[in-house]
Amino acid sequence: MPPEPTTDNPSTTSTSTSPSEQLLQEQQQEQQQQPQPQTHTHHTLPPPFTHTPTPLIPLTQGAEALVYRTTFLTPSTPAILKYRPPKPYRHPTLDRRLTKARLLAEARVLVRCRREGVAVPAVLGGDWEAGWLCLEFVAGETVRRVLDWWVEREGWRVKGKEGEGEGEEGEGEGEERDEAMLDLMRKIGRAVGKLHTTGVVHGDLTTSNIMLRPSSPSPPTSTSPNASPNVDEEEEDVSAYLAGTIVLIDFGLAAQSLRQTQEEDRAVDLYVLERAFAATHPTAERLFGEVLRAYGESYPGAKASLRRLEGVRLRGRKRSMLG
Amino acid sequence: MVHVRTYRLPHYEQYPVHVALFRDVSNAAFLRKQLLEANEDFDYAFLDASMIISLTHLLSASFMAVHRSLTNSLKARTPHSELVFRLHPNNNIGESYRKFGISDTTTALIAVKLSLSQDITAETVAAHLGEAVQGESVQIGDDGHELTNWTDANKVNETYKTPNLLGKNGHASDNTNLEHAQAVILGLMTIKGS
Ligand SMILES: Nc1ncnc2c1ncn2[C@@H]1O[C@H](COP(=O)(O)OP(=O)(O)O)[C@@H](O)[C@H]1O
Ligand SMILES: [Mg+2]
């Protein structure tokens, strides 16, 4: 599991300006107008998304943000709308300030990354006071889903082979697909390396926050034992699907890391990712080795971060033992 | 006859954006003077075409102008000056006009009219611009690529402080980097001044 976003960073609150009286009044009026008991499934979006003829398709509802798929600027530009709704238990002024600071921090890091050539979604627009951000839509899957799909597929592949009386050792036919998967792992390692090279740490580097934009548009469909009896025919599809671009998303907890804590911050990113892999499946944990190998070769300081990772692991284990 | 292309912004469909493009404009100084004198008949965003990199670039500033107008959060005096202001990466309105607005020597001109009230239509815009602008109207297609025929990559890179971002050797016609450049520039516009 990713570390929960902890207490509010005092440095972010102090940099934002306090809202004017007028804003406060507007906000209070707004609150009176809005139906107060908001359920978990329905949220009142800020304008212009309140009453829009453009479809807004809900994707996820996290602890901090609601994420929709929509279009933005032109009808042929798919986009992601990320909205941070007000938190009713927080003081409205503080809440507004925090929301603004965090959205802005997320947007700033994204623009910086994009400028430096790290593959992240473009920032298309936003309104910090209102709590929303529009991002370029990444046509693909989260690595989490790719891993789930792969693990499931591995499962029935092995079963199929056992049925044919073959051993568990990988024969020639599976190697190509394995190689495609290992190559994907290396791409993840390099993407994280590239991010760290720019001095940014992600802060919540789970497999749900890494996307694969495949080079072939649709994933191979069969994930069940009955779907395709002929594994070989699929090998090419699978390789083509996995041969895509890695895009890092969700920079809500990202930060410019300070030189003094950089190594540790980077190691924590890697540790969070390692835990995410381990949580998927033991097989996926094996793949993670390849992520680290590629990471280690991706920039001059990478080896030092990897050494630091060992320390972070030890402390992580101790902490979980203490409960 | 003046060609006006109307774009509809997703989520703000009810406030269309009318755009006209002119080449060989000969009365830029006059047009600019009308803006300086705040002549109400000349309520447009008049942009020098050299600074627009894509239709999406233009629509991004248009969206923010419409949005800020309708949410009472304009930083500039009018929605159209907000549009000019939104294009610039910094918080200086005068500088925004100097870089993106019409100058006395402008020959390639983009005129934008936000339709924030019902009585503004493509026809009324075309009729007025036909009288006001001395220049050749250029038809704009749905993808708006004609808007970028005059892009000056060096000037764009300099204004956004993004060396080598757009174009190769200053040739804006080399569009290999356009998608990347647009991604960075929309981002810079979005986080500007905050
Ligand atoms: N730019 C994007 N393109 C495509 N899908 C996205 C994009 N951003 C987010 N998503 C999808 O929405 C989910 C949640 O978005 P995320 O930014 O991670 O928000 P949260 O902070 O709630 O985790 C992601 O896991 C992904 O599936
Ligand atoms: Mg996420």
Side-chain angles (χ1 to χ4, degrees):
Chain A
M1 282 296 287
E4 274 296 306
T6 47
T7 47
D8 307 318
N9 184 349
S11 70
T12 53
T13 55
S14 62
T15 52
S16 62
T17 52
S18 65
S20 65
E21 284 293 307
Q22 192 198 343
L23 268 177
L24 260 172
Q25 281 167 7
E26 272 173 25
Q27 181 187 9
Q28 279 158 3
Q29 281 166 6
E30 228 173 69
Q31 283 187 334
Q32 281 157 11
Q33 280 159 14
Q34 279 171 15
Q36 263 315 291
Q38 285 187 339
T39 68
H40 280 288
T41 46
H42 176 78
H43 280 271
T44 310
L45 289 169
F49 309 109
T50 332
H51 306 286
T52 170
T54 313
L56 283 162
I57 302 150
L59 289 188
T60 63
Q61 183 169 354
E64 299 291 327
L66 301 166
V67 176
Y68 298 83
R69 189 191 164 157
T70 187
T71 54
F72 195 65
L73 300 181
T74 82
S76 59
T77 310
I80 286 286
L81 173 68
K82 213 171 163 181
Y83 173 55
R84 288 173 173 265
K87 291 196 183 298
Y89 54 82
R90 214 146 56 187
H91 186 281
T93 313
L94 175 66
D95 184 52
R96 196 171 268 242
R97 241 196 255 176
L98 282 174
T99 299
K100 180 179 171 176
R102 285 178 179 164
L103 269 178
L104 197 49
E106 182 170 3
R108 280 203 187 110
V109 170
L110 283 170
V111 175
R112 186 200 165 98
C113 284
R114 189 72 189 214
R115 236 180 130 148
E116 309 232 352
V118 186
V120 300
V123 174
L124 303 178
D127 182 339
W128 326 127
E129 310 293 340
W132 62 268
L133 186 64
C134 253
L135 302 173
E136 173 191 4
F137 179 77
V138 178
E141 286 291 353
T142 64
V143 164
R144 190 202 161 112
R145 290 196 50 179
V146 174
L147 284 176
D148 284 346
W149 160 81
W150 190 79
V151 164
E152 199 175 329
R153 203 170 171 284
E154 276 309 274
W156 67 257
R157 248 191 89 252
V158 171
K159 265 186 230 145
K161 282 194 164 185
E162 280 168 358
E164 288 162 29
E166 285 180 38
E168 276 182 44
E169 291 292 299
E171 303 289 328
E173 65 180 45
E175 273 171 22
E176 194 182 314
R177 187 218 40 254
D178 280 348
E179 185 46 44
M181 197 62 187
L182 290 174
D183 198 49
L184 180 67
M185 295 303 114
R186 289 189 281 269
K187 273 188 273 193
I188 294 173
R190 286 194 295 269
V192 177
K194 175 101 185 177
L195 176 75
H196 285 174
T197 318
T198 67
V200 172
V201 281
H202 186 282
D204 188 15
L205 197 58
T206 64
T207 48
S208 300
N209 290 336
I210 304 176
M211 293 190 72
L212 167 65
R213 180 161 43 203
S215 45
S216 80
S218 60
T221 44
S222 60
T223 51
S224 72
N226 316 325
S228 168
N230 193 343
V231 174
D232 290 354
E233 271 182 17
E234 262 188 29
E235 295 300 308
E236 267 178 50
D237 292 353
V238 173
S239 301
Y241 178 67
L242 294 177
T245 317
I246 289 297
V247 183
L248 304 176
I249 63 163
D250 195 358
F251 284 71
L253 294 172
Q256 193 67 34
S257 62
L258 303 168
R259 194 169 293 277
Q260 303 93 290
T261 59
Q262 201 167 54
E263 228 166 68
E264 173 79 9
D265 295 343
R266 288 169 172 171
V268 170
D269 261 0
L270 296 173
Y271 182 66
V272 169
L273 187 56
E274 181 168 70
R275 303 307 302 156
F277 266 78
T280 305
H281 198 266
T283 344
E285 211 169 354
R286 176 176 63 85
L287 293 172
F288 189 69
E290 204 62 20
V291 175
L292 290 184
R293 233 185 317 282
Y295 177 86
E297 285 158 16
S298 64
Y299 69 103
K303 290 281 194 303
S305 302
L306 286 177
R307 277 193 297 277
R308 196 58 168 256
L309 173 61
E310 287 164 27
V312 175
R313 278 182 190 137
L314 273 175
R315 271 177 283 142
R317 229 168 277 151
K318 263 188 216 150
R319 212 177 302 137
S320 65
M321 265 163 31
L322 292 170
Chain B
M1 201 192 73
V2 171
H3 305 283
V4 172
R5 172 66 60 170
T6 301
Y7 296 100
R8 286 181 191 274
L9 298 163
H11 306 289
Y12 277 128
E13 284 86 348
Q14 64 274 47
Y15 304 100
V17 181
H18 305 295
V19 183
L21 172 66
F22 297 89
R23 62 182 299 164
D24 303 325
V25 173
S26 58
N27 67 336
F30 164 79
L31 296 170
R32 185 164 160 268
K33 191 154 170 275
Q34 307 314 304
L35 296 186
L36 291 175
E37 290 171 359
N39 181 345
E40 281 177 16
D41 291 340
F42 286 76
D43 188 15
Y44 293 94
F46 282 139
L47 305 169
D48 192 298
S50 63
M51 289 298 289
I52 295 302
I53 68 158
S54 66
L55 171 64
T56 302
H57 182 214
L58 180 64
L59 291 180
S60 158
S62 306
F63 182 97
M64 284 319 291
V66 170
H67 178 67
R68 285 185 169 266
S69 172
L70 294 169
T71 56
N72 299 315
S73 51
L74 289 178
K75 290 269 169 70
R77 209 172 47 82
T78 69
H80 290 110
S81 47
E82 185 78 19
L83 195 162
V84 180
F85 176 58
R86 285 295 140 196
L87 285 164
H88 201 278
N90 297 339
N91 248 350
N92 185 325
I93 294 183
E95 192 58 22
S96 311
Y97 267 97
R98 269 190 292 283
K99 290 289 184 195
F100 293 90
I102 189 172
S103 76
D104 289 351
T105 56
T106 294
T107 55
L109 173 72
I110 297 172
V112 186
K113 181 81 173 179
L114 303 174
S115 189
L116 289 162
S117 72
Q118 297 280 323
D119 53 333
I120 299 162
T121 66
E123 289 73 32
T124 63
V125 173
H128 182 250
L129 287 176
E131 288 169 22
V133 180
Q134 284 167 22
E136 190 185 326
S137 171
V138 180
Q139 197 160 0
I140 314 170
D142 213 36
D143 69 354
H145 73 268
E146 297 84 356
L147 293 168
T148 63
N149 284 348
W150 288 271
T151 311
D152 181 340
N154 285 337
K155 240 174 95 184
V156 170
N157 291 336
E158 188 191 300
T159 303
Y160 287 106
K161 298 192 174 64
T162 48
N164 305 319
L165 182 66
L166 184 66
K168 231 181 226 165
N169 314 315
H171 294 303
S173 55
D174 184 336
N175 275 346
T176 46
N177 305 331
L178 182 60
E179 215 171 300
H180 175 64
Q182 181 179 289
V184 173
I185 286 173
L186 292 197
L188 291 172
M189 286 164 63
T190 305
I191 62 172
K192 84 180 224 137
S194 34

